[in-house]
Amino acid sequence: HILLSELESGGFSYSDTGSVNSLPITVEGVELGITVKQEEPGRFKLSVRSGRGIAANKLCALFGGGGHERAAGATVEAECYEAVRDRVLEAASELFGLQP
């Protein structure tokens, strides 16, 4: 996850974070990579990448987003990162039977 406070303290902007979306899925054994970036207070962007047989767009559709089967995104409104994390992990577990 990437929070606004972390970006600001490092002298970065939201637009500097685009290349991190694909990093989690490059790790051996990772089937579903989810990057959560805070766009503004109360608003978070999900970037989901998946391996074969796991539809990233189905997970994002649950949050009003979409995309391709193996690369998708959505925007989630929540008070804090932890609330987003919990909602997304619960949805992924129910949808795909995956355990974090």
Side-chain angles (χ1 to χ4, degrees), residues 14-82:
Y14 181 85
S15 63
D16 294 321
T17 66
S19 62
V20 302
N21 297 342
S22 297
L23 289 177
I25 197 69
T26 65
V27 176
E28 187 176 337
V30 172
E31 304 265 346
L32 182 66
I34 303 169
T35 304
V36 179
K37 296 186 279 188
Q38 187 177 24
E39 293 183 304
E40 59 187 58
R43 188 176 171 100
F44 297 83
K45 173 73 176 167
L46 302 180
S47 294
V48 180
R49 304 295 184 265
S50 64
R52 295 189 190 279
I54 299 175
N57 57 349
K58 287 185 180 180
L59 177 60
C60 289
L62 296 175
F63 296 95
H68 301 282
E69 183 177 15
R70 296 182 61 194
T75 301
V76 179
E77 295 192 16
E79 287 186 35
C80 61
Y81 160 73
E82 291 79 10

